[in-house]
Amino acid sequence: MEQQRKEATERLLSRQGHHNLVYNEENDGVGVEDEGLVAVSNFTSILGLSTLTAACITFGFGCAIGYSSPTQSSIMEDLGLSVAEFSLFGSILSIGSLIGAAISGKITDLFGRKPTMWILNLFYIGGWLAIAFTKAPWLLNLGRLSLGFTNGISNYLASIYVAEITTKNVRGRFTIIVQFLTGWGVSFMFVVGSFVHWRTLALLATIPGLLQLLLLFFIPESPQWLAKFDREKELEAALLCLRGDKADISHEATEIKDYVESLKSFSSEGILDIFQKKYVRQLLTVAGVLVLMNLGGINALTYYSGAIFVSAGVSSMVGLITLAATQTVIGILGATLIDKLGRRPLLLVSSAGLCFSSFLTGVSFFLKDFNWWDQGSPILAFIGLLMYMGSYALGGVLPLLLLSELFPINVKGSAGSICNFMGNFTGWVVAYYFNFLIEWSSTGIFFIFSAFSSANFILTATMVPETKGRTLEEIRASITHSSD
């Protein structure tokens, strides 16, 4: 069986030298030229529709994350919540995410990518309705818990689905665009939440789920998932749907089937398979980046940014609207650069930006505490918070892209569950304790965030590989080949 795996790996690696890459001006892409056939299909209407469907998940993810920031004071006043009770409401999203993350990989592998989206919408829409019509704190928390469960699965699912339906030339761009919609969801909550009642805002947040329910009727299942369960006719139909009826899908279909078949020959697909030597480096890398990014404070700044602005002496409405604009502009920049510069450079710039901006925000609170620069400290805090959210918008989604690229389909579910769980657990710790820690030391907490972001920069510089411009099968074949 080991020999079969090595032969399959060698076939995939050798294919890189048996095809000529050609540039196609019509769709600005690269295709494979093989014996007179050119298979260029970087974008089709169905691929665009499928990507939009996945984007609905991530936009809703952002809505759930950003909801607590503009509504904190009004919810506390209307329902009579204390700071501790609202901290529970804010952080319970991460508890739900922990539950979802623990089963995210397995449930998407068991039911498939599309059916999982159907299931998640029940929890998503139900969660928002519970919040919108609640009369008691317990129902408010239950709705938020349901949204967290959805987030724990959907954040993984969206990246995996888009990575598996796109070509290598646009995979990074499409994946980061979809994840970029998380920032738009947060921005939507920040802006609209500054003007409408918190119950109305919850009802508006159901729109992405309702739209996705409609779009699910028109998109195909993931070709790789179909190959895993030997559904060859459906695999070919899905590829034709995604690449165009006249596209030459033979090479891509064969490559997917060969690699999935080689994995079946030596893997029992148990969760312990992910701890084999050949996967340890990838697991430590992706899980490490996710954990350190969460310990760097992203949940605190998205859940409670309105209150942070106020404590820094900045108008909450001005701050939140400016944050929304910053996320939008930087997110678009990241989407245009991802397939040109690569994953690793953007992740390095993002980590460095998170480190510096957290430090700058900490300095602003230090000056404010000692009344050393009363006029300038709010400006420093404002700049620091904008830089932080801009840096996250540039590279915050890249760990999930790496998760979808670095692991083969036989262990992707286990890897997704473990990495997602670890990331969400640290996110919950930050979200729950932040309101208490900022009362302890507003300066200290941001310096701590800066230290974790610095550690993330070091981890990225030493461990993260570059994956741009290669198919998923080529990436995994090269990793497997180098570990033998």
Side-chain angles (χ1 to χ4, degrees):
M1 289 191 295
E2 183 67 19
Q3 182 62 31
Q4 288 178 322
R5 177 175 68 86
K6 289 184 177 181
E7 290 175 356
T9 299
E10 293 295 341
R11 286 200 304 272
L12 288 173
L13 289 170
S14 65
R15 282 199 183 110
Q16 299 177 45
H18 290 170
H19 296 84
N20 297 317
L21 296 178
V22 295
Y23 181 77
N24 182 279
E25 294 182 357
E26 182 177 350
N27 59 7
D28 189 27
V30 180
V32 176
E33 185 178 55
D34 188 6
E35 299 179 358
L37 294 175
V38 179
V40 181
S41 49
N42 286 337
F43 184 82
T44 62
S45 58
I46 295 299
L47 179 58
L49 194 65
S50 301
T51 305
L52 176 61
T53 304
C56 289
I57 304 177
T58 53
F59 187 87
F61 180 91
C63 288
I65 292 175
Y67 179 75
S68 60
S69 186
T71 61
Q72 179 170 351
S73 59
S74 56
I75 290 178
M76 289 177 68
E77 181 180 346
D78 289 355
L79 298 181
L81 302 183
S82 65
V83 172
E85 287 173 323
F86 191 84
S87 292
L88 175 61
F89 169 70
S91 64
I92 205 170
L93 184 78
S94 295
I95 296 177
S97 295
L98 279 175
I99 300 171
I103 62 172
S104 59
K106 289 302 181 182
I107 194 173
T108 53
D109 280 353
L110 178 63
F111 295 112
R113 290 22 172 171
K114 273 184 64 177
T116 304
M117 294 181 199
W118 284 104
I119 296 170
L120 290 183
N121 270 295
L122 299 177
F123 290 92
Y124 179 81
I125 297 173
W128 283 119
L129 292 178
I131 292 174
F133 296 106
T134 185
K135 298 292 184 181
W138 71 266
L139 187 57
L140 185 78
N141 290 333
L142 182 61
R144 183 97 166 151
L145 184 69
S146 180
L147 292 175
F149 176 75
T150 303
N151 281 6
I153 299 175
S154 64
N155 202 27
Y156 164 80
L157 172 59
S159 295
I160 295 300
Y161 180 69
V162 173
E164 291 177 349
I165 65 173
T166 50
T167 63
K168 65 181 180 181
N169 305 305
V170 296
R171 185 178 64 245
R173 194 181 316 161
F174 274 44
T175 304
I176 200 172
I177 286 174
V178 167
Q179 291 297 335
F180 164 60
L181 265 292
T182 298
W184 269 15
V186 173
S187 299
F188 178 79
M189 291 287 110
F190 284 177
V191 175
V192 179
S194 299
F195 300 99
V196 305
H197 193 267
W198 60 272
R199 294 184 188 274
T200 304
L201 188 63
L203 290 175
L204 290 174
T206 63
I207 294 175
L210 296 172
L211 178 60
Q212 189 189 61
L213 285 176
L214 175 64
L215 296 178
L216 281 171
F217 287 102
F218 306 102
I219 66 170
E221 181 56 87
S222 156
Q224 287 206 0
W225 185 85
L226 293 170
K228 180 180 178 181
F229 291 95
D230 297 320
R231 294 159 65 169
E232 293 189 13
K233 291 184 179 180
E234 293 175 68
L235 161 66
E236 294 173 0
L239 283 175
L240 282 173
C241 184
L242 291 165
R243 309 290 180 250
D245 292 338
K246 297 182 180 180
D248 175 19
I249 60 156
S250 56
H251 170 73
E252 185 176 6
T254 301
E255 189 173 64
I256 292 173
K257 287 186 284 188
D258 276 358
Y259 198 74
V260 170
E261 190 62 34
S262 71
L263 293 172
K264 290 180 181 179
S265 68
F266 69 92
S267 173
S268 60
E269 301 187 18
I271 192 168
L272 294 180
D273 283 354
I274 191 60
F275 296 105
Q276 295 178 53
K277 181 181 177 180
K278 57 179 168 287
Y279 302 128
V280 169
R281 182 182 176 89
Q282 299 98 287
L283 184 64
L284 291 176
T285 299
V286 177
V289 172
L290 278 170
V291 165
L292 290 174
M293 189 164 285
N294 278 286
L295 290 175
I298 183 58
N299 279 7
L301 271 81
T302 49
Y303 290 5
Y304 311 117
S305 53
I308 297 172
F309 276 121
V310 172
S311 64
V314 180
S315 166
S316 175
M317 180 179 294
V318 172
L320 291 175
I321 292 175
T322 310
L323 273 187
T326 301
Q327 285 182 314
T328 301
V329 173
I330 301 299
I332 292 173
L333 177 64
T336 60
L337 295 177
I338 181 66
D339 282 316
K340 295 179 181 179
L341 298 182
R343 287 65 161 147
R344 192 167 177 272
L346 285 186
L347 196 53
L348 285 170
V349 172
S350 175
S351 300
L354 292 172
C355 176
F356 178 75
S357 58
S358 295
F359 183 81
L360 187 62
T361 306
V363 170
S364 73
F365 278 104
F366 178 80
L367 295 173
K368 181 176 181 291
D369 289 342
F370 287 93
N371 298 314
W372 284 350
W373 193 21
D374 292 339
Q375 293 181 333
S377 58
I379 297 175
L380 283 182
F382 185 67
I383 294 173
L385 292 170
L386 290 184
M387 285 185 61
Y388 185 97
M389 296 306 291
S391 298
Y392 185 81
L394 185 65
V397 303
L398 292 176
L400 291 170
L401 174 57
L402 291 173
L403 174 61
S404 68
E405 291 180 330
L406 295 181
F407 295 99
I409 198 166
N410 65 312
V411 295
K412 189 183 290 185
S414 299
S417 295
I418 293 171
C419 293
N420 246 338
F421 182 86
M422 294 177 67
N424 278 285
F425 176 75
T426 49
W428 169 78
V429 170
V430 170
Y432 183 75
Y433 288 104
F434 176 76
N435 282 327
F436 304 104
L437 290 172
I438 200 170
E439 290 181 358
W440 160 71
S441 173
S442 52
T443 300
I445 187 60
F446 282 101
F447 283 168
I448 291 172
F449 289 162
S450 180
F452 280 119
S453 297
S454 176
N456 200 11
F457 179 87
I458 295 172
L459 176 64
T460 300
T462 55
M463 295 283 285
V464 173
E466 184 53 69
T467 57
K468 72 167 184 174
R470 293 189 287 171
T471 66
L472 297 179
E473 287 68 38
E474 288 170 353
I475 293 169
R476 293 155 196 163
S478 63
I479 291 174
T480 303
H481 183 70
S482 63
S483 65
D484 288 335

